Amino acid sequence: DPIRVLKIIRQYMKPNHKVFVGVIATIDPRVETAEEVRDRTLQAAEFIPIVNLGTTDDCGFSPFCDDTSTSREKAFEKIRARVAGGVRRLCGDAAAGRARFRRLASGQRRL
């Protein structure tokens, strides 16, 4: 339930906290699209200030008992999707991208 969790994070986070949300499912063989990563990041940014927000994978690429579920090639494809869908790329740096981010977050998806 990402919305519920994001609300809890917003409630308890301090201004100096950095929050990283998992936007890549490491053991799912399907590679996320840059748009899916972007949308997950924008969803988190509705609750967490963008200057405090980062993205990561939802877990490491080497699960506890099975390090073969995601191939090296697939892991790099997923990492490329995370980079391609990143907010910094969409919005520029935090200071210059605030207005553009507001448009994106409000549903105006012009990139």
Side-chain angles (χ1 to χ4, degrees):
D1 186 1
I3 300 297
R4 181 174 140 307
V5 172
L6 290 167
K7 286 179 180 179
I8 293 168
I9 292 168
R10 177 179 59 191
Q11 180 180 355
Y12 291 103
M13 72 178 287
K14 305 282 188 254
N16 63 329
H17 285 170
K18 300 293 183 205
V19 177
F20 288 80
V21 293
V23 294
I24 297 291
T26 56
I27 61 172
D28 183 348
R30 189 184 68 78
V31 176
E32 295 80 351
T33 66
E35 292 78 18
E36 289 173 310
V37 171
R38 176 201 62 205
D39 292 346
R40 291 173 187 165
T41 306
L42 288 173
Q43 180 183 51
E46 292 177 26
F47 301 91
I48 300 164
I50 195 162
V51 297
N52 300 79
L53 180 60
T55 62
T56 190
D57 311 310
D58 65 4
C59 189
F61 278 105
S62 182
F64 301 112
C65 63
D66 173 15
D67 63 358
T68 62
S69 62
T70 304
S71 70
R72 179 177 173 85
E73 293 78 20
K74 186 73 70 171
F76 277 103
E77 286 179 50
K78 288 176 164 277
I79 292 168
R80 280 190 289 278
R82 184 163 58 89
V83 171
V87 170
R88 287 207 188 275
R89 182 166 180 188
L90 295 173
C91 301
D93 67 25
R98 283 191 183 103
R100 185 164 188 202
F101 174 75
R102 279 190 217 101
R103 285 194 307 274
L104 289 170
S106 70
Q108 297 174 355
R109 301 281 182 189
R110 281 183 298 130
L111 302 176

